[in-house]
Each structure stands twice: as structure tokens, then as C-alpha cells.
Amino acid sequence: MTKADHISPGSPGLRRLVDPYGRRLHYLRLSVTDRCNQRCLYCMPPSGIAKLNHQEILSLEEQARVARVAHSLGVDKIRLTGGEPLLRRDLPVLLQALGRLSPRPDLRLTTNGRLLAAHLDQICQAGVTAVNVSLDTLRPERFGLITGLDLEEGRRAFAAVWEGIRAALARPGLTVKLNLVLLKGLNHDELVDFARLTLDLPLAVRFIEYMPVGAAKTFAPERFLSADQALAALAGLGALEELPRQAGDGPAQRFRLPGAAGELGVIHALSNHFCVTCNRLRLSAEGRLVPCLFSDRNLDLKPILRGGGDDAALALAMLQAAAMKPRHHQQTQTLATPSGCAMSRLGG
Ligand code: SAM
Ligand code: SF4
């Protein structure tokens, strides 16, 4: 198949987002804002990064339109992310628009959890099936250090995140995952505690390798801990049962501790390329379609969205973005120069 085959208009309904390596891109990650109420040290410098002005950020209607056209090209899974998505005013308007797509896509949300409890009704009413909460420590006194808050603010924020997690676990039909970025010297001594959470709670814990991406110009290679090192740290907990891969699993390798209610997963972002299973396209807060997290190449949809372009033009741009997807990224933990768009505009 040539590149042209991927971007030819074809007949409506038959076109699908497929990259030049045959990977079907059916998972759209939509960053709804670049604003955040934290400054996680792996994501942003303490002073934050330059904010987009309001006109630069796509409106909710524009985001819904991109999602609708992507859906017509085979996207069946949409994750709202950010920045902190729950800071976006009127987010339910977007959630409802996504919930009306037919067939309804698998709707998910990634959040730092601070505002989760208050938004759960709206999230569940819109048909969101899974929330990922980013939580890198179980120790309230460490929370501020990792998230750029002072000690007291950190303790309060930690309590709010836990309230959100508990409330989410109480919602029938809502899957809850905790995402932890592995950080040597900051949380490597908590991996067993995180794993033990899965014994009693029906949630998934994901250990994610620290990645040199975007505005994390502060990438500190000495903090890197591989997913395999994380698994080795769990040796004392008993034999991990590896769970079979399921369709749509994404890059995680999944395990269960003996008798556990929940599950564990590791994401080898750098130590072992996960690119072969990549099924993602990302839309940044300012409307750039980003085919690879680690690449600076992207395609700006704003001129089409704001220049009177029709849905066919949007669809063609999406097919072009799919054709730009590299076979795999080039990053390693020894490369201290981050690449790609700022995480807080792109959403991880
Ligand atoms: N604010 C929300 C949150 O924190 O969940 C959503 C946006 S955040 C950019 C999405 C995910 O990216 C989070 O799980 C965060 O841990 C992850 N992330 C950010 N910077 C990262 C880095 N340098 N390496 C690995 N994961 C990172
Ligand atoms: Fe942390 Fe998410 Fe905010 Fe980045 S966007 S600073 S990961 S809470």
C-alpha cells in the first residue's frame, strides 16, 4: 500500500484512519485545555509553561466536530485529557455531544482527580466508562513535592484525590485506573504499597515509565526507573499472573497478584518500544493533530475549522495526519532532550 492509499478520499464510510504501517488509529485523545492546577515535576517546570490565550484553544464545539469527523473515520474510543480536563468550563457540553455519537464511542477521562468527586454525576451521565486518575504517591506529605504544591496544600489535594477515587469506585460500571509515573528517589519505595491496593480494591494500577516529552525540559534521566525494575520490586508479593492481551488494551502489559480484586499494569514507554501496538491520534488543546507523542510533526486543524473548511476537508487532514505517523519513536532514557508537544497541551 502506498501513502496515497491512506489519504485518498475514497467512499464515505469506507475510509478508515490507517497509518503507513497498517496500524488502525481508532483511539483519539482529546486535550480539552492546557490549564492545570498542578505542576507535576515530570510534566511542567515549577513556573508552569506559557498559557495559550483563549482564542488559541479550540472551543468545545470545535472539539466535538473534530471528534465527530474522527468517529466517521473509525475512531471508537475517545479520551478527554489536558491540562486538567475538569478545569474546562462547560465540559459536560462536550461530553454530551460525544455521548450522542452513534454508535457511542468508548468514552474515557484522564484526570489528576482533584475535582473528580464533584464532577462524577456529569461524567457518569454522559456515559464515560473509565477514569484514569494520575497519582504518584500514597503519602500525603509527598504529594506536594511531586505536584508543585506546598506541604499543606499537598495534603489537602491528596485528600481530595482520594475522595474522588473512592467516589468513582462506588459508581457501578465505571472502571478506575491509577496512573503512576515511576520516579527513582521519589516513589520507587511505594511500588509495593500501590500494588497492594489492588488486593482489596477493584482498580487497576499502571506503572508508567518517565518519558522525556514536551515541555518537561527538566527531564532528569537519573530519575528514570524501568517498568522491569518496577516489576522486580514486587517480587516479594507472590507470583504475578500475566493477563491475556485484550483488544484495545493499548500498550500496557497486565498482571494480577494472587487473589487480587484489581490488576496491575506496566507501560514500557522507553525501555521496550510499545509503538507496534499504537492505535492513537492526539488532538492538542490548540487544535493540532499529533500522530506521535515524541515527534514534533503535527497537523494544524485550526485553519480548516476556522477558515470555513467542510467536514470532507477535516477528514482529509486526519487521513494525512495518520499518514505522518512514524513507525516508532526514537527516544531513550539517556536522551535528556525532550521532544514533542508540551504534555500539558497534549494530555499524555
Ligand atoms: N492532568 C491530567 C492528569 O494528570 O491525569 C491529564 C493530563 S496529564 C498530561 C496525562 C498523563 O500524562 C498523566 O497520567 C501524567 O502522569 C502523564 N505524564 C505527564 N508527563 C509525563 C512524563 N514526562 N512521563 C510520563 N508520563 C507523563
Ligand atoms: Fe500534572 Fe496532569 Fe497537570 Fe501535567 S497536566 S502538571 S501531569 S496534573
Side-chain angles (χ1 to χ4, degrees), residues 36-40 42-44 82-84 112 134 343-344:
C36 193
N37 48 1
Q38 295 187 171
R39 297 286 178 267
C40 301
Y42 46 75
C43 180
M44 287 200 219
E84 174 45 44
N112 63 28
S134 305
M343 273 297 234
S344 55

Side-chain angles (χ1 to χ4, degrees), residues 7 29 79 98 119 127 129 164 215 286 316 318:
I7 59 173
R29 297 176 63 103
R79 179 178 298 280
L98 300 180
H119 284 79
T129 56
E286 71 270 49
L316 188 59
M318 287 180 195

Side-chain angles (χ1 to χ4, degrees), residues 1 18 35 38 46 60 80 95 106 108 122 128 142 155 196 212 228 230 264 269 288 294 313 331 334 345 348:
M1 210 185 285
V18 180
R35 306 298 200 259
Q38 295 187 171
L60 295 174
L80 300 188
L95 281 171
D106 181 355
R108 300 178 178 216
Q122 290 165 337
V128 170
R142 276 189 185 170
R155 284 181 198 276
R196 281 209 180 105
D228 286 340
L264 285 166
R288 293 178 181 278
F294 293 96
Q331 281 289 20
T334 55
R345 289 183 185 172

Side-chain angles (χ1 to χ4, degrees), residues 29 36 38 40 42-43 81-85 110-112 132-134 136 179 181 208-213 216 219 343-344 346-348:
R29 297 176 63 103
C36 193
Q38 295 187 171
C40 301
Y42 46 75
C43 180
T81 174
E84 174 45 44
T110 294
T111 170
N112 63 28
N132 286 12
V133 180
S134 305
D136 304 307
N179 283 348
V181 178
I208 302 173
E209 288 178 354
Y210 176 29
M211 303 179 283
V213 274
F219 184 70
M343 273 297 234
S344 55
L346 193 54

Side-chain angles (χ1 to χ4, degrees), residues 316-329:
L316 188 59
M318 287 180 195
L319 294 162
Q320 284 166 339
M324 283 160 55
K325 199 167 170 79
R327 185 192 290 272
H328 56 71
H329 71 70

Side-chain angles (χ1 to χ4, degrees), residues 7-339:
I7 59 173
S8 64
S11 51
L14 288 180
R15 288 176 304 166
R16 287 286 179 265
L17 293 166
V18 180
D19 76 7
Y21 309 100
R23 292 171 296 193
R24 194 161 86 75
L25 310 182
H26 60 98
Y27 176 14
L28 178 67
R29 297 176 63 103
L30 236 168
S31 173
V32 296
T33 181
D34 66 331
R35 306 298 200 259
C36 193
N37 48 1
Q38 295 187 171
R39 297 286 178 267
C40 301
L41 46 78
Y42 46 75
C43 180
M44 287 200 219
S47 54
I49 62 163
K51 285 184 191 159
L52 297 168
N53 66 45
H54 285 292
Q55 293 74 31
E56 285 176 285
I57 300 175
L58 292 194
S59 68
L60 295 174
E61 290 73 20
E62 288 168 331
Q63 288 164 352
R65 183 174 169 210
V66 172
R68 178 172 53 72
V69 174
H71 181 260
S72 75
L73 295 173
V75 163
D76 57 10
K77 176 172 170 183
I78 300 176
R79 179 178 298 280
L80 300 188
T81 174
E84 174 45 44
L86 298 180
L87 287 176
R88 178 81 201 236
R89 203 177 308 141
D90 295 333
L91 189 69
V93 173
L94 175 61
L95 281 171
Q96 284 156 14
L98 300 180
R100 284 195 294 272
L101 293 172
S102 177
R104 182 192 269 180
D106 181 355
L107 287 180
R108 300 178 178 216
L109 176 83
T110 294
T111 170
N112 63 28
R114 300 265 299 275
L115 304 169
L116 181 58
H119 284 79
L120 265 178
D121 283 342
Q122 290 165 337
I123 289 169
C124 293
Q125 277 158 18
V128 170
T129 56
V131 286
N132 286 12
V133 180
S134 305
L135 180 66
D136 304 307
T137 179
L138 295 173
R139 303 196 188 165
E141 69 282 6
R142 276 189 185 170
F143 191 88
L145 186 66
I146 297 177
T147 58
L149 305 172
D150 71 28
L151 185 65
E152 277 319 306
E153 226 183 338
R155 284 181 198 276
R156 281 196 297 276
F158 177 84
V161 175
W162 258 112
E163 189 192 339
I165 293 168
R166 294 259 173 220
L169 283 170
R171 299 285 173 141
L174 187 65
T175 301
V176 182
K177 273 187 204 156
L178 304 189
N179 283 348
L180 162 146
V181 178
L182 296 163
L183 297 165
K184 200 181 276 178
L186 282 170
N187 62 14
H188 70 272
D189 54 348
E190 297 191 49
L191 304 185
V192 167
D193 295 341
F194 268 96
R196 281 209 180 105
L197 283 180
T198 69
L199 289 174
D200 297 324
L201 297 176
L203 49 69
V205 169
R206 291 275 184 272
F207 294 153
I208 302 173
E209 288 178 354
Y210 176 29
M211 303 179 283
V213 274
K217 299 269 185 261
T218 49
F219 184 70
E222 68 280 6
R223 292 240 180 259
F224 181 82
L225 189 72
S226 73
D228 286 340
Q229 287 171 307
L231 286 176
L234 307 182
L237 291 175
L240 290 172
E241 174 200 356
E242 183 157 359
L243 300 173
R245 281 194 67 80
Q246 294 162 341
D249 252 2
Q253 196 186 359
R254 298 157 56 239
F255 301 92
R256 193 184 301 281
L257 285 172
E263 61 166 71
L264 285 166
V266 290
I267 300 188
H268 300 257
L270 295 188
S271 63
N272 180 1
H273 279 167
F274 53 16
C275 307
V276 71
T277 58
C278 190
N279 55 10
R280 299 160 183 215
L281 258 189
R282 296 173 164 86
L283 182 72
S284 72
E286 71 270 49
R288 293 178 181 278
L289 264 187
V290 179
C292 175
L293 186 57
F294 293 96
S295 162
D296 293 319
R297 295 189 72 200
N298 57 65
L299 199 152
D300 191 359
L301 295 182
K302 234 192 274 159
I304 302 173
L305 289 166
R306 298 193 179 167
D310 60 11
D311 285 354
L314 261 186
L316 188 59
M318 287 180 195
L319 294 162
Q320 284 166 339
M324 283 160 55
K325 199 167 170 79
R327 185 192 290 272
H328 56 71
H329 71 70
Q330 303 292 341
Q331 281 289 20
T332 69
Q333 70 268 29
T334 55
L335 285 183
T337 312
S339 56

